[in-house]
Amino acid sequence: MRRTPRTLGLELRNVDQGPTDDGVEHLVLHTDEGDVPCRMHPAEGSTSAVVWVGGAGGGLDGPAGGMYPRLAGRLVGAGIASLRLHYRRPNDFVPCVRDTLLGVAYLGQRDYTRCALVGHSFGGAVVIEAGVSDRHVEAVAALSSQTLGTGRAGELSPRPLLLMHGTADEILPDACSREIFSRASEPKEILLYPGCRHGLDECRDEVDRDLLAWLEQVLALKS
């Protein structure tokens, strides 16, 4: 595979594709600074995709009992692809932003030119910063987000920002998302879930419903 341009100094050198399970491709993006494990849910003929990133520990599955593979599978039916991405260096903010941007660039090589980003906890800040840094990103959703690293949230506009947070978050209080919301510019939306904790397990069905609807809206096919 041909190389991508450098993404904040990170260069994609090669892509290894492992097995494909139920239509999900096991990928490793090899860069000049280490490997980025991914799972790709392709949507044939589409130009729209979502990049999903985890919290401080990284991972491929996300909160709420595996939200990322669960929703990625459902989005394929709506003509939206997904790339679930594990950081090279979890909990190291700038490298995690670079990994996320590399995922966007890789999707562009596969003709997915319209991307939304979704991140949880630490990853909420990662996707906000990545969205500000790359104008190919069309929308950003931050779930149970921290505030550290979100100082440029106001620069995301005119791309939409969705903030989702449980009011019983025991790790990062919902005041974090409310504070980000106060600094963000339109279009922006905040959804608070009473009694829901940091991992969003208690409000799984509601978060699934709301996030799916929002992603389908912001990545709706254009005529």
Side-chain angles (χ1 to χ4, degrees):
M1 182 168 186
R2 60 185 171 88
R3 296 184 182 184
T4 63
R6 284 186 169 269
T7 304
L8 292 182
L10 189 65
E11 182 181 45
L12 178 62
R13 291 186 166 176
N14 193 24
V15 179
D16 281 344
Q17 182 169 342
T20 298
D21 295 329
D22 294 327
V24 181
E25 303 170 4
H26 291 229
L27 304 176
V28 179
L29 308 184
H30 297 287
T31 80
D32 55 337
E33 296 185 19
D35 298 340
V36 182
C38 300
R39 298 291 183 270
M40 179 74 193
H41 301 247
E44 186 176 354
S46 175
T47 59
S48 298
V50 180
V51 178
W52 308 80
V53 299
L60 294 166
D61 293 339
M67 172 192 289
Y68 294 176
R70 183 170 66 245
L71 298 194
R74 293 172 65 179
L75 285 168
V76 169
I80 299 171
S82 284
L83 183 71
R84 296 153 45 212
L85 183 151
H86 175 61
Y87 310 123
R88 289 171 299 123
R89 292 161 54 183
N91 205 31
D92 195 342
F93 185 72
V94 172
C96 292
V97 172
R98 294 165 73 200
D99 293 346
T100 304
L101 293 171
L102 186 78
V104 175
Y106 170 70
L107 288 171
Q109 284 201 328
R110 294 186 59 162
D111 295 325
Y112 297 104
T113 56
R114 306 182 61 240
C115 290
L117 308 180
V118 178
H120 175 250
S121 190
F122 166 84
V126 169
V127 294
I128 288 172
E129 178 61 25
V132 170
S133 300
D134 190 336
R135 289 293 170 179
H136 291 98
V137 174
E138 298 212 358
V140 171
L143 320 179
S144 308
S145 184
Q146 66 180 39
T147 55
L148 184 65
T150 67
R152 296 207 295 162
E155 299 176 37
L156 189 64
S157 179
R159 280 83 53 78
L161 171 65
L162 173 65
L163 298 159
M164 311 177 86
H165 219 120
T167 63
D169 193 319
E170 75 285 11
I171 296 175
L172 294 167
D174 64 278
C176 292
S177 283
R178 290 190 279 110
E179 198 270 332
I180 297 168
F181 183 80
S182 72
R183 291 187 281 104
S185 301
E186 296 288 351
K188 60 183 179 178
E189 183 177 0
I190 186 168
L191 298 175
L192 301 177
Y193 297 88
C196 199
R197 291 160 61 90
H198 188 68
L200 304 174
D201 293 287
E202 298 82 3
C203 51
R204 178 187 305 184
D205 291 344
E206 294 87 349
V207 170
D208 280 8
R209 177 199 65 211
D210 295 341
L211 184 54
L212 276 173
W214 184 81
L215 288 168
E216 290 178 5
Q217 177 185 0
V218 297
L219 292 174
L221 294 177
K222 295 180 179 178
S223 58

